[in-house]
Amino acid sequence: MHTIDLAYVGRGLHEELVAYIADQEDYYAQEGVHVALRDGCSWAEERLRRGATIGLGRALLSRLTGGIPWVTLNVNTCSPLFWFLARPGITSLADLAGRRLAVHAPHTAPGCFTRIVLRQAGLDPDRDVQAIVRRPGDYGMDLRGLQDGSIDAALVGSTMAPEAVAAEHGWQVLAWVGGHFKIPTVGVAVDPTYTDPDDPAVQAVVRAHRRALQVIHNDPDTTVRYMHTFLGRHTEDEVRAHYEAFIAPHYTTDGQVDLAVGTTAITAVAAELGVPATITAAEFYRTPTTTPGPH
C-alpha cells in the first residue's frame, strides 16, 4: 500500500470535511493508500511542501511570494467558508469603519481574502478598520470578545455555523466571504520538487477525495452526520441548514475548477499582496479531467 502525508492548515469544515469523509468511508484504503493526516497549521513552508496539502489558498500565497512551485490537483470549493460576525448595531461591512475587527494576519490566506472583501466594500483595511490580529483557532475567544464588547466584529471560520451563533446571541452576519470573493481554497496540492503529481499515492488521494465529494452531493444525511462531529454545539437542524446553505451548493462534484475563476483569483491575490501575478491559472490548477470509475 502506498503512503503519504496530507496536511491541513486550518481547522473546521472548510479545511477538513472532504478528507474526513474519505477517511471515515475508508476510501483511502480502498484506493490503496495509507494517509497520515497531519496538522500543518503552524508548520513552516519548508516542512509543509514535503507532503500533500489541503490548503490551496496558503499554497497560492507561498507560490506568489516565495516561488514554491505548488500545483493543485483537486479542488473542493471556490467559496471560502469565512464570515464577518458583528455585534448589534453593525449591519453592513461599511459599518466596520472605525470598528475593532478580529481578523487573521494580512499575509495569511484568510487575512488576504478579508482585505480583498473589505476593499470591495470601500474600506481601506489598514486605515478604516482597527484590526486586531490573532492566530487561527476555533474562534472561541472571538465569541467571548463579541459578548463582552472588547471587539465589535470578527472574521470567523467553519468551526461553527455563524448564522446559528448570530441568532443565539442577537448578533449580525455581515457577509460571507465566499459570497463576495471566489477562489479555490481547499483541495489537494503538492510541490513537484518533492512529490510527483502523478505519484500513485497522490492520485489515490485525489480519487478518494472525489468520491467524498460525491457523498456530499448524493448523501446529505451521511454528510450532515459527519458535519455534526465538527459542529457539536449546534442542533441537527442547524447543521442541516448550514449544509444546505454553504456546503451542498458550493462544493464541486468532480474536483475540477473553472480556470476563469482561478485567473481572477490569482490576479486579485497578487494585487493585494503587492507582487506580480507570475503564474497562470492553468499552471497552478491542474485538476483531473476524468471521473472515477465505479467502486
Side-chain angles (χ1 to χ4, degrees), residues 12-14 17 81-83 156-165 176 223-224 227-228 230-231 234-251:
L13 291 172
H14 179 60
L17 180 60
L81 296 184
F82 297 92
W83 295 262
V156 300
S158 57
T159 59
M160 68 187 81
E163 293 189 333
V165 172
W176 169 40
T223 304
V224 168
M227 289 174 61
H228 215 166
F230 292 87
L231 302 176
H234 297 297
T235 68
E236 183 176 341
D237 286 345
E238 290 170 339
V239 175
R240 189 171 295 274
H242 192 69
Y243 163 82
E244 292 174 351
F246 299 109
I247 305 297
H250 300 288
Y251 272 60

Side-chain angles (χ1 to χ4, degrees), residues 11-292:
R11 296 184 176 89
L13 291 172
H14 179 60
E15 188 87 7
E16 300 177 71
L17 180 60
V18 171
Y20 185 81
I21 292 174
D23 183 46
Q24 295 300 306
E25 292 291 308
D26 213 25
Y27 292 157
Y28 292 137
Q30 291 171 21
E31 296 295 345
V33 62
H34 173 79
V35 175
L37 286 170
R38 309 293 299 275
D39 180 351
C41 294
S42 61
W43 285 4
E45 297 303 318
E46 281 303 313
R47 183 178 183 186
L48 187 64
R49 67 190 294 199
R50 294 175 183 270
T53 183
I54 294 171
L56 307 186
R58 178 171 169 179
L60 175 61
L61 265 66
S62 65
R63 179 154 185 179
L64 288 171
T65 60
I68 297 176
W70 292 103
V71 293
T72 293
L73 307 175
N74 195 68
V75 170
N76 298 340
T77 183
C78 293
S79 301
L81 296 184
F82 297 92
W83 295 262
F84 292 87
L85 194 60
R87 288 172 55 80
I90 303 173
T91 60
S92 70
L93 289 176
D95 290 342
L96 291 176
R99 305 282 190 165
R100 298 159 297 179
L101 172 67
V103 68
H104 298 262
H107 66 274
T108 65
C112 178
F113 306 159
T114 300
R115 293 168 66 86
I116 290 170
V117 173
L118 289 173
R119 291 188 196 279
Q120 290 176 356
L123 297 172
D124 183 329
D126 294 316
R127 294 180 175 85
D128 297 335
V129 177
Q130 298 180 40
I132 300 171
V133 176
R134 41 79 167 120
R135 293 176 60 85
D138 68 358
Y139 305 99
M141 291 302 293
D142 291 343
L143 300 186
R144 290 177 63 175
L146 288 168
Q147 279 189 302
D148 65 24
S150 58
I151 60 174
D152 300 302
L155 182 85
V156 300
S158 57
T159 59
M160 68 187 81
E163 293 189 333
V165 172
E168 178 184 352
H169 293 281
W171 299 336
Q172 300 286 334
V173 177
L174 302 182
W176 169 40
V177 169
H180 292 263
F181 180 55
K182 300 298 183 187
I183 180 170
T185 48
V186 284
V188 177
V190 297
D191 174 1
T193 307
Y194 297 102
T195 305
D196 184 348
D198 294 321
D199 184 280
V202 175
Q203 290 302 313
V205 170
V206 170
R207 292 193 302 270
H209 283 204
R210 294 176 72 189
R211 293 175 68 183
L213 287 166
Q214 288 294 310
V215 172
I216 288 174
H217 291 282
N218 298 332
D219 194 344
D221 291 342
T222 295
T223 304
V224 168
R225 176 164 55 85
Y226 287 142
M227 289 174 61
H228 215 166
T229 66
F230 292 87
L231 302 176
R233 65 175 291 158
H234 297 297
T235 68
E236 183 176 341
D237 286 345
E238 290 170 339
V239 175
R240 189 171 295 274
H242 192 69
Y243 163 82
E244 292 174 351
F246 299 109
I247 305 297
H250 300 288
Y251 272 60
T252 69
T253 60
D254 54 14
Q256 297 187 49
V257 68
D258 182 338
L259 289 180
V261 171
T263 297
T264 300
I266 290 172
T267 300
V269 168
E272 178 59 42
L273 296 173
V275 299
T278 52
I279 54 172
T280 67
E283 290 170 330
F284 185 70
Y285 302 111
R286 302 182 193 173
T287 56
T289 57
T290 59
T291 57

